[in-house]
Every structure is written in C-alpha cells, then in structure tokens.
Amino acid sequence: MKNMQAAVRFIAAILLLGLLSGAAQAKKLNVITATTDMAALTQEVGGDKVNVEPLARGYQDPHFVEAKPSFILKLHGADLLVAVGRELEIGWLPPLITQSRNAKVQPGGPGYLDASQNAKILDMPTGQITRAMGDVHPQGNPHFWLDPGNGRRIAQAVQAKLTELDKADAAYFSQRYADFDRRLTEAEKRWQALMAPYKGLKVVSYHRSWPNFADAFGLDVIGYVEPKPGIPPSPAHTLELEQQMKAQNVKIVLVEPYFDLKTPNAIGRDTGAEILVMPPSVGGVKEVTDYFQLFDYDLNLLVSAIKKTGAR
Ligand SMILES: [Zn+2]
C-alpha cells in the first residue's frame, strides 16, 4: 500500500513536471519571418525565448517566392511576423497574411514588424513611380540587410518588438541585443580591414541587390545585367554593359544564386570578367547559417576573385 502511494506520488510529480515544461515551452514566442536573414537576426536577439522559422529559403529570389499552403498555417499560429518590407515580398506575402486569419500579424497589428522602418534605405525613387517602369523596387532598395549597420538596426527593432510582446523577458532581450551588437562591431572591424585595400573597386551585379553592401564596403557598382530590377537581360542592354565594363576595366560580375547564368557567362567570355555567384542571404549556400557567416563567406569569395583577376 505504501509502495502504491509512493508510486502514485511519483507519477503525479512526473505529470506536474511535464505540465510545467509544457507551460515553459508555450511561453516561447512563435516568430515567422519572411526571409532567412530576418530569421537569423531575430534568433540573435530572441535566443531560447523564441521559435523562429523563415518562409522563404535562402537560395530563393525573395521577390518571387512560391506561396505554399503550409505558409498560411504557419502564419495562423504566429505571435509575430517579421517582414523585410519596402515591397520586397509584395508578390507573395500579403495574400498569405490575409488568409492566415490571424489578427496579430496583419500589417499594423501588434505582431507585425516591418524590418525596414529604422534601416538606412538607398535608391529612394524620386518623381512619379509607375509599374510600367518595370521596377520591383518602388519604395527604395529592399536588399538593405546587406549592410551590417542595417543588421544592427533590424536587431534593435526586433528587440523592441519582442520586449513589447514579452515584457517579462525584457532584460534577456536587452542583454542578447547588447551581445549581438558587440560581436557585430568586432566583425565589422575584421570585414573593413579585409576590404580596405579595394576601396572604389568597380563591379557589376545581376540584380540591384548590393547597393547597401557596396555602401558598407566601398565598392562601386557601375551596372547591372538586368536592364531594370525585375526585367530580364536584353541583347541591346548586354552589349552596352559590356562596352562600359571594357571602358572601365570591370573584372567582376556578382550573380545572385537564383539567376540564369547564360547571360553572365556570355558577358564573362566577352569581357574576361570573373562571374561570381554570391549569396545575398543566409542559407544561400548551406555553410552560411547565420548573419556573420553571410559576410564572412561573401567577402572572402569577393577577395579571392579580386586576387584571381587582379581587379583593382
Ligand atoms: Zn530586388
């Protein structure tokens, strides 16, 4: 009988522990992010108080992501949605948000964060904007996370939003942000030293993904394989670009992993330039699993190509 009571108490204790750990798990905020970069930055600040999952994969073109039904379910259960903003995701995310029927994550809702709000935005358009211009960047350049300074600003916005949603963990998020900021400052010194010999280096890129990256590391992007953002290459534009590259001795073409290499390779043959497939996002190649690795990987790739081509 005594053994029986002990066994019952033991089982009750196990059940209670299970309930408690279940409660602790339930306390984690469910965060869905539009892209892997926003997931990486949210994870830096949120630590083990958040479950973070990106919708787009790092090797996909973030303008044109195939909307899966599972995305709606993920958004339905989210406490927070972190979007890149500046209309990067306008082609796929808004209908998913509507269909999620989750009031929290609707734009303007308490669980919606537009990561571009405090970021340094380049390529701000002037004058009348029309879709006829074929431009997928009507509200300034949406690839702004490629400047570490903007990574810091995004992390800060994430910290403020997580604190708003989970006040009890305010000190935790604040400490995580401070630690991220410190590590980023260290890394920036390393990256700036690596790129210091190549200030003003002229490059070409396929899409207009790199203005913030170029701004941060002193590159000069003189032209694009796309005639306009989102518009495929045309023979006339390619010819003009090749002439500019030859005139300015441009030896490097950056290509995002999701574009066809046919035109870039032709440009490489005609001009002798190195075609460099460079991921603009965490997860663009499998070894890049966090925000720091993205810059480590890309900058090392770039420096190798500079050395190989003798480009200056
Ligand atoms: Zn773009």
Side-chain angles (χ1 to χ4, degrees):
M1 189 64 187
K2 233 179 190 165
N3 279 347
M4 186 70 175
Q5 277 174 348
V8 166
R9 274 204 299 272
F10 180 71
I11 289 164
I14 294 281
L15 286 174
L16 184 63
L17 271 176
L19 279 173
L20 286 173
S21 73
Q25 268 170 16
K27 224 178 117 263
K28 280 194 184 188
L29 290 170
N30 264 328
V31 185
I32 297 296
T33 65
T35 66
T36 51
D37 309 289
M38 299 307 114
L41 290 165
T42 303
Q43 191 67 63
E44 292 284 355
V45 180
D48 55 16
K49 305 290 181 188
V50 294
N51 290 317
V52 187
E53 200 183 338
L55 294 178
R57 301 286 166 186
Y59 49 80
Q60 290 179 309
D61 183 341
H63 289 292
F64 305 103
V65 174
E66 191 199 343
K68 296 183 192 156
S70 62
F71 290 177
I72 298 169
L73 202 64
K74 287 174 198 217
L75 287 167
H76 181 73
D79 298 306
L80 171 62
L81 167 63
V82 182
V84 177
R86 300 283 157 173
E87 298 202 355
L88 180 77
E89 310 98 334
I90 197 164
W92 56 279
L93 188 57
L96 298 175
I97 298 175
T98 307
Q99 288 164 60
S100 78
R101 300 162 68 105
N102 177 353
K104 286 188 278 191
V105 302
Q106 304 297 315
Y112 181 88
L113 177 63
D114 176 337
S116 74
Q117 271 177 355
N118 302 320
K120 178 180 178 184
I121 303 298
L122 301 175
D123 299 346
M124 284 301 287
T126 49
Q128 188 82 32
I129 309 301
T130 68
R131 287 285 168 195
M133 292 159 79
D135 198 332
V136 292
H137 298 166
Q139 291 187 7
N141 194 285
H143 304 273
F144 54 86
W145 68 88
L146 286 160
D147 170 356
N150 273 340
R152 182 179 284 103
R153 294 180 191 104
I154 296 164
Q156 206 160 25
V158 167
Q159 185 212 338
K161 179 54 85 179
L162 292 179
T163 301
E164 202 180 293
L165 297 176
D166 174 14
K167 290 184 185 64
D169 288 314
Y172 177 83
F173 297 135
S174 163
Q175 177 268 317
R176 296 271 318 182
Y177 170 74
D179 183 59
F180 170 73
D181 177 36
R182 183 187 56 74
R183 286 181 290 123
L184 189 62
T185 303
E186 283 298 304
E188 281 175 301
K189 283 181 201 152
R190 184 171 81 235
W191 298 330
Q192 290 299 339
L194 186 66
M195 291 304 291
Y198 313 114
K199 289 274 178 252
L201 179 82
K202 288 179 172 152
V203 300
V204 157
S205 71
Y206 193 108
H207 180 71
R208 207 178 276 256
S209 302
W210 309 94
N212 292 86
F213 185 87
D215 184 47
F217 300 110
L219 302 175
D220 183 6
V221 189
I222 66 125
Y224 308 93
V225 177
E226 287 180 331
K228 282 175 185 165
I231 302 294
S234 70
H237 175 75
T238 300
L239 189 64
E240 195 187 324
L241 180 66
E242 287 178 350
Q243 282 163 357
Q244 282 175 15
M245 287 174 65
K246 286 174 186 166
Q248 302 191 54
N249 197 31
V250 175
K251 290 291 171 210
I252 291 174
V253 179
L254 307 178
V255 182
E256 298 81 352
Y258 33 81
F259 289 117
D260 193 303
L261 282 167
K262 195 173 141 240
T263 303
N265 284 341
I267 293 171
R269 281 193 298 274
D270 293 346
T271 64
E274 181 81 3
I275 306 305
L276 204 58
V277 177
M278 197 155 99
S281 282
V282 171
V285 289
K286 65 176 183 303
E287 54 264 57
V288 174
T289 60
D290 71 24
Y291 190 70
F292 295 90
Q293 287 168 4
L294 177 60
F295 293 98
D296 280 331
Y297 183 91
D298 283 355
L299 291 172
N300 282 317
L301 197 68
L302 187 57
V303 168
S304 303
I306 294 170
K307 287 179 176 162
K308 187 176 166 190
T309 59
R312 285 303 296 271

